[in-house]
């Protein structure tokens, strides 16, 4: 099977076992001692990424890439197998920042590498923490518009790494909430960033914001 014809759902877990701290490349476990608001000393066990550049305030970026289509705006999404959840996950394009790289620069690069699309940054969010009770991983959400009329967005040429198997697709923004429910029913996991965006659109619709 070629990389082009493979599907995210074709991946399978073979085994799971404990990882020694000395062998961990991407993450590390930390025990933090702190005082609570009443002055009691407590400890907190958590994880940290080992890859954040020293000159960067963030680990990575999430990319809200909007495809400008005649039928209406569509959100660019990916299907990618994620071993920790044993499933293919519905995600937005995302990636880690390189040393000396801004969030906007990282987003444009990651979008091109993972999907082949060339986009223009329109907004960078405040720093967001993915799961602050468990780890210090953070990111900027970067809004990118993709002009589908441009020649470079017609013949897409992603630059995937050997261990990346990504299926790219898009969904109408107005149907995102319903489509997340459908995809979950089909066995996909929904990344929190996609789910939160869908929830936001649904709340705005229901409350006529």
């Amino acid at each position: 099977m070629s990389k082009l014809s493979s599907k995210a759902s074709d991946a399978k877990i073979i085994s799971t076992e404990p990882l020694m701290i000395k062998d961990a490349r991407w993450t590390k476990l930390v025990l933090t001692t702190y005082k609570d608001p009443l002055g009691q000393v407590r400890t907190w066990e958590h994880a940290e990424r080992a890859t954040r550049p020293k000159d960067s305030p963030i680990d990575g970026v999430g990319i809200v890439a909007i495809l400008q289509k005649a039928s209406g705006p569509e959100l660019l999404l990916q299907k990618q197998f994620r071993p920790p959840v044993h499933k293919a996950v519905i995600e937005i394009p995302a990636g880690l920042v390189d040393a000396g790289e801004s969030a906007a620069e990282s987003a444009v690069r990651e979008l091109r590498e993972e999907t082949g699309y060339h986009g223009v940054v329109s907004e960078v969010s405040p720093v967001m923490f993915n799961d602050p009770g468990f780890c210090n991983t953070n990111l900027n959400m970067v809004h990118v518009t993709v002009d589908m009329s441009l020649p470079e967005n017609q013949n897409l040429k992603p630059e995937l790494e050997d261990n990346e198997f990504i299926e790219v697709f898009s969904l109408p923004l107005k149907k995102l909430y319903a489509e997340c429910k459908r995809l979950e029913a089909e066995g996909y996991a929904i990344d929190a960033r996609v789910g939160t965006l869908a929830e936001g659109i649904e709340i705005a619709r229901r409350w006529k914001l």
Side-chain angles (χ1 to χ4, degrees), residues 13-189:
I13 294 294
I14 297 174
S15 65
T16 300
E17 61 188 70
L19 175 66
M20 300 297 292
I21 293 177
K22 65 179 179 63
D23 297 325
R25 177 183 176 188
W26 301 99
T27 59
K28 60 182 178 180
L29 290 178
V30 179
L31 183 66
T32 293
T33 302
Y34 69 103
K35 283 186 179 181
D36 70 16
L38 299 178
Q40 183 172 342
V41 176
R42 299 181 183 276
T43 59
W44 195 284
E45 179 183 305
H46 55 99
E48 292 184 356
R49 277 196 179 275
T51 55
R52 183 186 298 178
K54 292 182 179 179
D55 62 348
S56 176
I58 57 171
D59 293 297
V61 293
I63 305 163
V64 182
I66 304 300
L67 306 185
Q68 299 173 315
K69 294 190 174 184
S71 57
E74 297 194 4
L75 178 66
L76 189 63
L77 295 168
Q78 300 178 165
K79 296 176 182 178
Q80 188 169 189
F81 183 78
R82 294 300 192 181
V85 298
H86 296 201
K87 287 184 176 183
V89 182
I90 305 301
E91 305 175 341
I92 56 173
L96 300 177
V97 298
D98 289 342
E101 192 175 48
S102 70
E105 291 168 339
S106 178
V108 170
R109 174 183 57 77
E110 287 286 353
L111 182 68
R112 184 185 69 253
E113 291 176 355
E114 291 192 354
T115 72
Y117 282 108
H118 293 250
V120 176
V121 172
S122 60
E123 181 73 25
V124 177
S125 78
V127 175
M128 300 180 180
F129 291 84
N130 300 5
D131 190 353
F134 172 68
C135 64
N136 72 337
T137 302
N138 64 5
L139 52 72
N140 287 120
M141 294 289 282
V142 182
H143 300 200
V144 177
T145 54
V146 178
D147 186 343
M148 298 297 288
S149 68
L150 296 178
E152 57 263 39
N153 289 326
Q154 303 300 317
N155 184 24
L156 303 178
K157 297 179 180 180
E159 303 166 17
L160 298 177
E161 297 181 14
D162 290 342
N163 64 343
E164 289 183 313
F165 297 85
I166 296 173
E167 296 176 59
V168 178
F169 68 110
S170 63
L171 290 173
L173 278 174
K174 62 184 179 181
K175 296 181 179 179
L176 185 58
Y177 187 73
E179 287 296 299
C180 282
K181 287 189 172 184
R182 177 185 66 80
L183 289 162
E184 183 184 41
E186 292 180 2
Y188 293 97

